[in-house]
Amino acid sequence: MHVVATAGHVDHGKSTLVRALTGMEPDRLDEERRRGLTIQLGYAWTALPSGERLAFVDVPGHERFLATMLAGVGPVPAVMFVVAADEGWMPQSEEHLVALEALGVRHCLLVVTRSDLAGPAGAVEQARPRLDAAGIGGVEAVTVSGRTGQGLPELRQALDRLVSGLPRPDPAAEVRLWVDRAFSVTGSGTVITGTLPAGTVSVGDELLLAGEPVRVRGLESLKEPRDTVSGVARVAVNLRGHDVSGRGEALVTPGGWTYTDLIDVSVRPAGAPRHESAGLPRRLTVHVGSAAVAAEARHLGGSVVRLRLARPLPLHLGDVLLLRDPGRDRSEVRVLAGASVLDVRPPALGRRGAARRRAALLEAALLETAVPGMAYALRLHRLLRAVDLRAMGVPPDAPGTSGEWYADPGHWKELGRRLVEEVRRYAAGHPLEPAMPVEAARHRLGLPDRRLVTSLVRPPLALHAGRIVAGPAGLPEPVARAVERLRRDLAARPFQAPDAGRLAGLGLGPRELAAAERAGSLLRVAEGIVLLPGADVRAAALLSRLPQPFTVSQARHALATTRRVVVPLLEHLDRAGLTERLDEVHRRCR
């Protein structure tokens, strides 16, 4: 199925045209039929010559119903723009076009109606340059008469060509169905209708409406019961678990969207006269999908504006909004600008110059990527979880930097550099402690998760017993060379601790040994007994292979060392909880 909305000045024959194409009455209200004036959104559908099904959202053209028109056009990918041959381009033609420009609509068919009353050439000549200026160039034009039926076969063929060029929606996309009508059915409960632009809704699905959980009881599309509907489609959804809501709410996939009332946007002035983003009124109305929400605007710099919405909306990075001045005189174009969402989780701006710096950051990030994606989101937020990225509309497509966490590469590199500095600073300030605790490092770096800290640990750092130690690269050069020679001594005989003479010969006195221990380069078992880091764990693993319990003599033979080393080593293992002393003679591994 495809969905197309109408657009154009009041009384130019939009509803008449839909009626002639579908054989259905799009005007639902008696008042609409009596006055010949569309007030609410109307819906009708037909089959095209290719067999494709096409649904129409018929919008009002009167200036008083601009908000209703925007609710109909907002979620729809293409528009049938209607201009009457006998009147040509009119004020609401201009306002509807400015709205389409602001919303970024690029798929359009120009239809000149009432060709039985006047020649269509003048209307086409007026419309084309305006469509071109709005970025909707190369539009096909069709001339028809809804009253006589002239040109309807050609219009159906043109509509077929229009929808064949529309981008194919992703059936696996996150659902966001903007509600354009809601009502209650006796015995069934709440029913909402809307245009599903992408994604799939199925009976039994658990979704959110206005942030509250609901379950899909039933589905219809074009009056036909369905078990599953994928976008693009007109759909009616029977819900369990929610009272009747109004137009402008959205039925969404849980976790698939960020509910937010504060956003940073890039503003694109639309229409004529052009408006600078700095000149936006402080109070305006934001339109997205079928929603119209009051907002306060704050110009940050350049094209960047911060919007505080009257209520949270489910949004993604890159969503397109329309900004309207609700208080502007009706004789003027009230659509001020289009806006693209740059951030759905913007930071507070407290310090002097923060707004200007924020605008510069956002504009610089946009220069690097035309479409906000994962790299863009990480550039702004530095660290994000996979669930955060999904809610922003940029789900990760690669493994995380650290478990569920994703990091901006430049920021991650800087964190690694800072961690080395913090570990060394901690060692200098806490000489009696063996090394820096992971939790202390987390606080120093301002990280939200301990796992991020452990993932940053790499040479010259090492992780030992919940602490971060600096390796030989953090030692003075003479001490580092001495430790490296000692490492070579212990490589073949890891439990043959050097005696005092060998340590002195290597240049490792008490101060040097203390520094090496703080850096995690050596393990001091007792006074004068040093081994390589991890030797205690390795010893416990070897001793666990002995018949339990075991004696000091058995341990000495298993570790190929001397009594001078094995006795203090066993006492160290007892303190570490790796072994347990049972009596004066026997121990066992835990």
Side-chain angles (χ1 to χ4, degrees):
M1 184 198 306
H2 300 279
V3 182
V4 170
T6 61
H9 191 76
V10 63
D11 200 31
H12 275 203
K14 297 185 294 297
S15 298
T16 300
L17 191 58
V18 170
R19 194 178 300 116
L21 285 167
T22 66
M24 302 174 68
E25 176 58 68
D27 290 335
R28 295 182 289 108
L29 305 180
D30 291 339
E31 181 184 359
E32 292 178 306
R33 298 171 189 173
R34 184 176 65 254
R35 298 171 60 187
L37 176 69
T38 298
I39 298 172
Q40 295 291 343
L41 299 176
Y43 312 103
W45 53 90
T46 188
L48 295 174
S50 65
E52 294 276 3
R53 303 184 83 184
L54 176 62
F56 291 97
V57 178
D58 187 34
V59 307
H62 197 281
E63 62 185 14
R64 287 184 297 160
F65 306 119
L66 177 62
T68 302
M69 175 268 181
L70 294 172
V73 171
V76 174
V79 168
M80 184 169 66
F81 203 102
V82 177
V83 180
D86 58 333
E87 290 190 349
W89 198 259
M90 297 291 282
Q92 283 309 112
S93 305
E94 185 67 33
E95 184 155 48
H96 282 200
L97 178 61
V98 172
L100 297 179
E101 178 187 2
L103 291 170
V105 174
R106 293 295 178 264
H107 301 280
C108 180
L109 177 65
L110 174 61
V111 182
V112 178
T113 57
R114 303 215 296 245
S115 61
D116 55 316
L117 301 180
V124 173
E125 290 174 3
Q126 286 180 315
R128 278 201 182 281
R130 286 174 167 83
L131 291 169
D132 289 343
I136 316 177
V139 171
E140 183 177 357
V142 182
T143 301
V144 301
S145 169
R147 187 178 65 84
T148 67
Q150 173 192 345
L152 289 180
E154 291 79 6
L155 176 56
R156 290 189 174 92
Q157 294 287 348
L159 286 167
D160 235 339
R161 289 189 290 273
L162 174 68
V163 300
S164 68
L166 296 178
R168 295 293 175 180
D170 180 5
E174 310 288 3
V175 168
R176 182 175 60 178
L177 175 69
W178 290 105
V179 177
D180 53 34
R181 187 174 173 229
F183 50 93
S184 181
V185 176
T186 303
S188 295
T190 299
V191 176
I192 62 169
T193 70
T195 299
L196 179 65
T200 300
V201 178
S202 301
V203 174
D205 281 354
E206 292 185 355
L207 302 171
L208 298 179
L209 181 62
E212 298 296 326
V214 293
R215 184 181 292 275
V216 178
R217 297 179 62 179
L219 284 172
E220 281 190 2
S221 184
L222 308 186
K223 298 290 186 180
E224 297 175 0
R226 302 281 292 275
D227 291 328
T228 296
V229 179
S230 296
V232 175
R234 285 295 304 173
V235 61
V237 188
N238 182 202
L239 298 174
R240 177 187 290 114
H242 201 281
D243 294 333
V244 175
S245 59
R247 175 185 295 165
E249 299 291 355
L251 186 69
V252 303
T253 304
W257 303 84
T258 300
Y259 275 89
T260 179
D261 60 0
L262 188 68
I263 52 177
D264 287 344
V265 301
S266 174
V267 171
R268 305 179 309 279
R274 298 283 172 174
H275 304 274
E276 294 297 330
S277 60
L280 288 175
R282 181 169 178 80
R283 299 184 184 277
L284 43 76
T285 300
V286 174
H287 293 263
V288 55
S290 64
V293 178
E296 290 189 359
R298 176 185 177 184
H299 182 237
L300 302 186
S303 65
V304 180
V305 171
R306 175 160 292 187
L307 298 175
R308 185 171 293 279
L309 308 175
R311 64 179 174 89
L313 294 175
L315 297 174
H316 275 170
L317 296 177
D319 270 343
V320 176
L321 317 176
L322 182 145
L323 309 183
R324 181 171 67 93
D325 184 353
R328 186 173 290 276
D329 189 287
R330 286 178 182 168
S331 65
E332 301 180 44
V333 174
R334 291 167 289 167
V335 174
L336 301 177
S340 296
V341 176
L342 300 181
D343 197 357
V344 292
R345 288 174 45 179
L349 301 174
R351 296 183 177 179
R352 185 181 180 89
R356 184 176 63 254
R357 291 190 296 272
R358 173 67 175 170
L361 171 64
L362 289 167
E363 291 187 327
L366 273 181
L367 288 176
E368 294 185 3
T369 172
V371 179
M374 186 172 76
Y376 169 90
L378 292 174
R379 170 80 182 273
L380 297 186
H381 293 274
R382 297 185 172 184
L383 288 167
L384 289 169
R385 297 172 301 162
V387 292
D388 300 323
L389 289 165
R390 180 190 172 211
M392 290 181 176
V394 288
D397 54 5
T401 307
S402 175
E404 65 173 347
W405 288 97
Y406 289 75
D408 173 69
H411 180 58
W412 190 250
K413 184 177 180 180
E414 174 64 12
L415 284 173
R417 184 192 65 77
R418 285 180 54 200
L419 180 61
V420 173
E421 292 180 354
E422 293 293 348
V423 169
R424 292 173 180 169
R425 188 177 295 118
Y426 189 92
H430 303 78
L432 298 180
E433 291 192 28
M436 187 179 196
V438 169
E439 187 64 16
R442 186 184 74 81
H443 282 289
R444 292 281 184 93
L445 297 178
L447 295 176
D449 194 323
R450 288 170 56 95
R451 290 173 293 180
L452 290 167
V453 179
T454 58
S455 295
L456 283 167
V457 175
R458 57 179 59 88
L461 303 180
L463 192 64
H464 180 66
R467 292 177 180 266
I468 307 168
V469 297
L475 295 170
E477 186 62 28
V479 179
R481 287 198 300 268
V483 169
E484 185 56 34
R485 288 195 294 272
L486 180 56
R487 281 179 175 276
R488 289 196 290 268
D489 285 355
L490 292 171
R493 296 179 295 173
F495 305 108
Q496 286 280 7
D499 58 21
R502 176 57 179 163
L503 291 174
L506 292 171
L508 292 173
R511 293 182 61 187
E512 290 79 10
L513 288 173
E517 182 185 7
R518 284 197 303 270
S521 300
L522 293 176
L523 171 67
R524 187 172 67 164
V525 175
E527 190 66 33
I529 306 296
V530 293
L531 299 172
L532 294 181
D536 49 356
V537 176
R538 184 176 178 183
L542 291 172
L543 294 175
S544 67
R545 300 174 188 174
L546 293 174
Q548 305 291 313
F550 55 86
T551 64
V552 171
S553 178
Q554 289 172 316
R556 181 175 64 81
H557 285 289
L559 301 179
T561 187
T562 64
R563 187 176 181 84
R564 177 183 70 88
V565 174
V566 78
V567 170
L569 177 56
L570 289 173
E571 291 172 351
H572 171 83
L573 295 178
D574 292 342
R575 291 192 298 271
L578 297 174
T579 59
E580 178 183 14
R581 186 166 181 171
L582 302 177
D583 53 38
E584 293 298 321
V585 178
H586 298 94
R587 283 178 171 82
R588 68 180 178 187
C589 290
R590 288 190 174 183

